[in-house]
Amino acid sequence: PIATISLAVDAMKNEKVLQNREKIAYFSGIIKEENQRMNRQVETILKASQLEKQEVELNLKPLHAHAIIKDVADNFALQLEEKKGHAELLLNADQDLVDADEVHFSNLVNNLIDNAIKYSKDNTPVFVKISTQSNAKSLFIRVEDNGIGMNRETLKRVFERFYRAHTGNIHNVKGFGLGLSYVKTMVEAHHGQIRVDSTLGRGSIFTIELPLKKG
C-alpha cells in the first residue's frame, strides 16, 4: 500500500492531473483504498505473535476466490504501470467457492503478487500471471512471475520466518521477511497446501491448493 500511495501522490502533482477533476478523484480514491488496506495489514502484523502460537481465529465464510484475486490484482495497477509491467489473470477454475477469512485470504494473495514485483529483474518489465483451476475437491491458485528466481538454498528456506534471500547488490528489498511465512501459515490455517518452483534468473511459481466449500 505504501508504494501505491506514494505513486498516487506523485501522480497528483502532475499539472495535467491537477486540471482534471476525474483524475484527481481517481487517485484520491486509490489513496483512500490503500490507506484502509494498510490499516488491515497493520492489524495482521500485530497478530503475528498469535500466529506463532497458532491462536488466530479465522472468520470463515463462503467467498468467491476469483473476486478476491481480481480485487487484489487491481490494487497493483499503479506499481505495475511504473515498472512498465502487467498482470495477466487466467481464472479458469469451474468452481471457486471456498470457506475463507476475507482479510487473511486477501492478504496472502496480496503478499504473493507483492513478492513478484519486489523480486523483479532490473530493466525488465514485470510480468505476473495468476491462474486458477479446480477439480472435484480443490481450487488451485498459481502465481507465476518472470523475476530473479531462487536458488536451491533459498527454495528450502523461503517460508521461514524472517528469512530473506541474499540478492547481492541487485536489489534493495526492504521488509521484515514475514510475507511468505505468513502466506504458508494462512494457507495451512485454511486447510490448504502451498509449494514453490523456481529457477534462478527465470522466475518463480507459487501454487496454492485450497479445499472447495462442500456443497
Side-chain angles (χ1 to χ4, degrees):
I2 294 171
T4 300
I5 288 170
S6 178
L7 288 170
V9 169
D10 287 343
M12 288 174 73
K13 293 177 183 175
N14 185 295
E15 280 296 325
K16 289 182 180 178
V17 173
L18 286 170
Q19 294 168 19
N20 187 321
R21 285 196 170 201
E22 286 184 9
K23 286 189 176 179
I24 287 285
Y26 170 70
F27 288 117
S28 297
I30 286 176
I31 291 168
K32 185 174 181 179
E33 282 180 22
E34 293 300 293
N35 183 56
Q36 290 171 344
R37 196 156 64 93
M38 188 158 58
N39 285 334
R40 291 196 297 269
Q41 289 190 1
V42 168
E43 287 176 19
T44 301
I45 291 168
L46 292 174
K47 290 178 180 177
S49 61
Q50 292 174 297
L51 283 177
E52 182 88 340
K53 299 172 189 173
Q54 300 296 309
E55 289 177 358
V56 167
E57 289 186 17
L58 297 181
N59 179 22
L60 298 177
K61 61 182 181 181
L63 292 175
H64 284 285
H66 287 173
I68 301 287
I69 292 168
K70 285 177 187 173
D71 187 47
V72 173
D74 283 347
N75 291 330
F76 285 93
L78 277 182
Q79 288 186 52
L80 286 165
E81 187 180 315
E82 192 213 13
K83 290 178 176 281
K84 297 182 171 58
H86 73 286
E88 181 180 3
L89 302 186
L90 297 172
L91 308 181
N92 296 323
D94 293 327
Q95 303 292 330
D96 73 324
L97 193 64
V98 292
D99 273 322
D101 182 298
E102 186 170 1
V103 172
H104 287 295
F105 182 65
S106 298
N107 278 347
L108 74 85
V109 174
N110 178 89
N111 284 7
L112 288 175
I113 300 175
D114 186 55
N115 209 61
I117 295 172
K118 273 184 182 173
Y119 291 96
S120 58
K121 296 176 189 170
D122 288 334
N123 304 315
T124 301
V126 181
F127 175 61
V128 185
K129 183 163 78 172
I130 306 161
S131 55
T132 63
Q133 291 182 318
S134 61
N135 60 24
K137 293 182 178 180
S138 301
L139 171 69
F140 298 89
I141 302 168
R142 177 179 162 121
V143 180
E144 183 175 353
D145 66 60
N146 65 336
I148 59 175
M150 292 177 266
N151 59 26
R152 287 185 182 180
E153 173 63 19
T154 301
L155 272 174
K156 287 178 191 172
R157 303 186 60 191
V158 72
F159 293 116
E160 291 178 14
R161 281 171 66 86
F162 306 114
Y163 177 72
R164 186 167 295 288
H166 294 290
T167 54
N169 295 322
I170 303 172
H171 275 254
N172 178 23
V173 179
K174 294 179 174 66
F176 297 106
L178 283 169
L180 292 177
S181 168
Y182 168 80
V183 168
K184 186 173 189 288
T185 300
M186 277 300 113
V187 169
E188 291 175 350
H190 284 81
H191 307 293
Q193 297 178 316
I194 184 169
R195 70 173 188 272
V196 57
D197 300 294
S198 187
T199 304
L200 195 61
R202 295 182 62 183
S204 304
I205 302 168
F206 290 86
T207 306
I208 294 170
E209 179 181 357
L210 292 173
L212 289 167
K213 179 172 174 55
K214 293 175 183 174

